[in-house]
Amino acid sequence: MDNITLARLLDETAALLEIDGADPFRIRSYRRAAEAIEQQTAQLAPLATPDADPKLLLAIPGIGKGMAANIRDLVATGSMPLRDELMTKYKPTMLELLRLPGMGPKTVALVWSALQVGDIDALEAAARAGHLNTLPRMGEKFTAKLLKGIEDYRRNSSRFRIDEAKEFAERIAKLILAFPGIDQVTPAGSLRRGRETVGDLDLLATGPACEADVVAAAVEHVATLPLIDKLMARGQNKVTFTLRNNLQVDVRLLPRASYGAALQYFTGSKHHNVALRQRALKRGLTLSEYALLRLEDNAIVAAASEEEIYNALDLDYIPPELRENCGEIEAAAAHTLPKLITLRDLRGDLHMHTVESDGTATILDMAKAAIARGLEYIAITDHSKNLAMTNGLDDVRALAHIRRIREVDAELAELFAQEKGPQWLRYRNAKAGDIRLTHYGEVIEPQPPTAAFRVLPGIEVDILAEGELDLEDATLAQMDIVVASVHSRFDQPIDVMTARVLRALENPYVNILGHATGRKVLKREPYAIDITAILRRAAELGVAVEHNAAPARADLNDLHLRLAKELGVKLVINTDAHATGELDQMHHGIVQLRRAWLTADDLLNTRRAVDFLALLRKRP
DNA sequence: GCCGTTTTCGGCCCGACTGTTTTCAGTCG
């Protein structure tokens, strides 16, 4: 039984306990255990066998004697007594009801006990028949909202990818900023924390118009924005609505003086906030979205900035990406938070395409775009022949392409030698206007170059059915960068796919493993290969593993990135750009790396080009 | 059910909004 299943079973038990009206603190402990298990990079099942050291499970915060016994039961039998008992009392489909808006545990328990309604279809039927109106607190409005909720749930219960969510956040922010007196709109929530997907948007607005005595007008402005599909709720300083694509947006308008407290509060995560408030209480303080207050006299200790609040709690400032209550508070207290990687640390991008296969720009265009973004080297890695639909290269074309790449490389080196930099800055400045080198507010200033920009010849070679590659070794030997990727046939069993990739890693010319998992971020599809096995082998062989920065193609999740670091895997981050503008996708990938606590030292392509090449796998 | 620079017992985060209430329970983030 893997960690994800374990966590899901405990989380379901928590939900059933909630419906059962159990002690809320006991419920919380089940949730906490589920979250703790999800965060582990090592599988727990081997630690839960009868002959394993019991201390190992107990070492995980949130798991005590009782929960350890539950875990051992789950691993041994697939279930546990409490869960079995609850499952006979209630229906598993009731868990789904909790996902509907307005349906909490109490209401689910009520419709079950009063009407024997235990699944979505029955609930909808009861609502349409007016049966719900006979129950307390469930009138016309509740029923109408619920029916809409059921409809939305069936149509689209998925989350939104971070790049899409960010785009909407920016559009809405622009509309809100049109109101005079609102001078700042900041995305908070999981978008600011850099989660791969977000369930809803949290936007925090502030400025003179958001002060308590005048905020009503600004609320009216937000509640009547033209792109609102359905207004869900509106309060004194909060507006909730959905867009036509069903993305839910929460806008809070808060006074400038409490901006820091509000930003901290709405950025979350929930668990991080809970832990922070507990810490505050231990210090005789109380934390809310308005301020950090001293309990005895309600004096404001900190409110204007997040830094003040963390510092007042004897903590170093914690970057949003780390705020998951996953050890960051302890590290901040001990001053041992890592110096997280930033976009600025990146020096090269080793995976991109040109017009030679399925890209839209030339080699020189890609080089200029990379220079404009402050990079020092790139690798051109067009597709190989097996991907016919991308106009992939056979051996003859691949060798000819290498010659052109080397020509561009030499051309740029000559320019650098002749003009010592100014020419490079011209490339930069020509593009500076329409390139947004920002990372959630941090503006990246390109630095003057200290060495010639390098364009490295490479290829993204396709892994075939038996694990062999679709180009000759003699061709691959000419390349600096050989990215091996799986592009299709993900319908194969996981062991078949894994063996295929492992075999490809053995090829002495492969120095980077490209996308291989067939993972789709929004579809909850299982991985097509055993990532743990692949990472272990890659570490042994010295093959670098790519983290694809494009949100649509991100193969590795937070957990895999942390595991890769633990295993000493050589990691690189690449955009896989098919157009110059796609190089900007890099910042999404950087955020993912930050979430995994990675620093500049954990990546190969934060090094200078010459150092980087020396760190790659040794070739025969 | 977990946990311990006040603790092996007695705590366990905070506030806003909704609906249907005539003072609040349930939900949400």
Side-chain angles (χ1 to χ4, degrees), chain A residues 255-470:
Chain A
R256 169 66 66 189
S258 55
Y259 175 72
L263 188 56
Q264 195 291 313
Y265 179 90
F266 291 116
T267 297
S269 68
K270 189 176 170 181
H271 303 296
H272 174 87
N273 285 357
V274 168
L276 217 55
R277 279 177 230 137
Q278 283 168 342
R279 187 178 177 88
L281 282 180
K282 281 187 187 156
R283 283 167 171 66
L285 306 168
T286 176
L287 179 61
S288 75
E289 65 259 54
Y290 297 111
L292 181 66
L293 299 176
R294 199 158 53 214
L295 275 174
E296 53 181 24
D297 56 1
N298 277 345
I300 293 175
V301 178
S305 77
E306 287 190 318
E307 283 82 354
E308 279 176 30
I309 291 168
Y310 283 103
N311 292 341
L313 294 169
D314 302 319
L315 297 170
D316 291 340
Y317 174 75
I318 301 176
E321 294 92 336
L322 296 188
R323 299 184 195 167
E324 301 287 348
N325 194 24
C326 207
E328 74 280 8
I329 295 177
E330 293 79 359
H335 309 295
T336 56
L337 281 175
K339 190 177 179 299
L340 297 180
I341 188 168
T342 70
L343 202 47
R344 208 182 298 255
D345 293 321
L346 247 291
R347 301 203 186 197
D349 185 335
L350 306 155
H351 184 165
M352 63 189 67
H353 300 266
T354 71
V355 289
E356 188 65 18
S357 62
D358 62 347
T360 62
T362 64
I363 301 166
L364 186 60
D365 287 339
M366 293 307 278
K368 286 183 183 177
I371 292 167
R373 286 159 178 80
L375 293 181
E376 296 171 8
Y377 56 97
I378 57 172
I380 300 294
T381 55
D382 276 300
H383 288 289
S384 56
K385 65 183 177 189
N386 194 47
L387 287 185
M389 77 288 260
T390 66
N391 190 24
L393 284 59
D394 59 18
D395 292 273
V396 173
R397 282 177 63 207
L399 290 169
H401 198 38
I402 291 177
R403 282 195 294 278
R404 285 191 295 274
I405 295 168
R406 292 202 192 283
E407 278 167 22
V408 173
D409 186 49
E411 198 178 310
L412 293 173
E414 199 175 323
L415 275 173
F416 181 80
Q418 286 171 359
E419 305 188 30
K420 296 284 181 197
Q423 176 68 29
W424 299 90
L425 288 168
R426 271 228 305 281
Y427 279 140
R428 289 188 167 141
N429 295 338
K431 279 281 187 179
D434 51 29
I435 292 171
R436 302 178 46 239
L437 295 166
T438 62
H439 168 63
Y440 297 104
E442 179 195 14
V443 177
I444 310 295
E445 293 293 340
Q447 300 300 307
T450 55
F453 185 87
R454 294 297 316 275
V455 186
L456 307 173
I459 191 90
E460 182 180 20
V461 66
D462 195 39
I463 300 176
L464 298 174
E466 297 305 319
E468 75 273 30
L469 305 173
D470 70 337

Side-chain angles (χ1 to χ4, degrees), chain A residues 477-591:
Chain A
Q478 302 299 312
M479 313 275 183
D480 279 335
I481 301 296
V482 176
V483 180
S485 292
V486 181
H487 286 101
S488 57
R489 303 173 300 274
F490 290 116
D491 51 343
Q492 296 293 314
I494 192 163
D495 52 335
V496 171
M497 292 300 289
T498 306
R500 187 177 291 176
V501 174
L502 287 173
R503 167 117 193 268
L505 291 184
E506 303 290 334
N507 181 294
Y509 298 104
V510 169
N511 46 24
I512 297 178
L513 175 64
H515 38 94
T517 69
R519 170 182 184 241
K520 298 282 179 284
V521 174
L522 276 177
K523 299 179 186 162
R524 297 207 173 83
E525 289 167 2
Y527 282 83
I529 68 171
D530 178 350
I531 301 275
T532 305
I534 298 293
L535 288 176
R536 278 186 205 289
R537 191 61 186 144
E540 286 166 9
L541 291 169
V543 176
V545 174
E546 165 184 291
H547 177 61
N548 200 312
R553 296 190 285 266
D555 277 326
L556 303 177
N557 65 22
D558 300 348
L559 228 49
H560 293 137
L561 289 166
R562 274 162 49 195
L563 179 63
K565 176 175 178 164
E566 275 175 36
L567 294 171
V569 172
K570 293 174 178 174
L571 274 173
V572 296
I573 179 170
N574 296 326
T575 58
D576 193 358
H578 286 68
T580 56
E582 287 184 21
L583 292 173
D584 292 327
Q585 301 257 23
M586 190 61 98
H587 81 264
H588 289 298
I590 290 286
V591 171

